Amino acid sequence: SAGGGLLEAPIYNNQQMESVWLFLIELRRRHPNRKRHIKECTTALGASYNWSMPLRGSGKIRAAFEQLPEDLCSELLEDAG
């Protein structure tokens, strides 16, 4: 489950987590057909306290969201919880 296990293990630093979020945002922007797969990832990561922190606090992630159409931005944030 996303509430424990590897996602909560302190083996990923903030920069790594930020990179994963940026990758998912870009993947969703470029590949509409990957929507379901990206939703699975963002839902699992968003359920993790550690992984949700960069999503809320990163300037790079905020800037990436500002480049997205509003509907995609809303979709990703909703999926992430």
Side-chain angles (χ1 to χ4, degrees), residues 2 5 7 16 22 28 38 44 46 54-56 62 68 74 78:
L7 285 180
Q16 290 169 318
L22 291 170
R28 179 64 185 94
I38 294 165
L55 183 63
R56 312 287 179 224
R62 195 172 313 116
L68 286 180
S74 297
E78 188 175 310

Side-chain angles (χ1 to χ4, degrees), residues 28 35 65 68-79:
R28 179 64 185 94
K35 177 180 178 175
F65 275 122
L68 286 180
E70 191 173 333
D71 60 326
L72 286 186
C73 183
S74 297
E75 171 193 305
L76 287 164
L77 289 172
E78 188 175 310
D79 292 344

Side-chain angles (χ1 to χ4, degrees), residues 1-13 16-17 44-45 48 50-51:
S1 81
L6 282 178
L7 285 180
E8 296 305 325
I11 56 176
Y12 307 104
N13 65 40
Q16 290 169 318
M17 290 186 278
L45 294 177
S48 160
N50 290 341
W51 282 84

Side-chain angles (χ1 to χ4, degrees), residues 23-39:
F23 172 76
L24 289 171
I25 292 166
E26 185 63 15
L27 197 63
R28 179 64 185 94
R29 186 181 72 77
R30 289 186 186 200
H31 301 285
N33 60 321
R34 300 274 169 96
K35 177 180 178 175
R36 185 175 53 87
H37 296 107
I38 294 165
K39 179 183 176 93

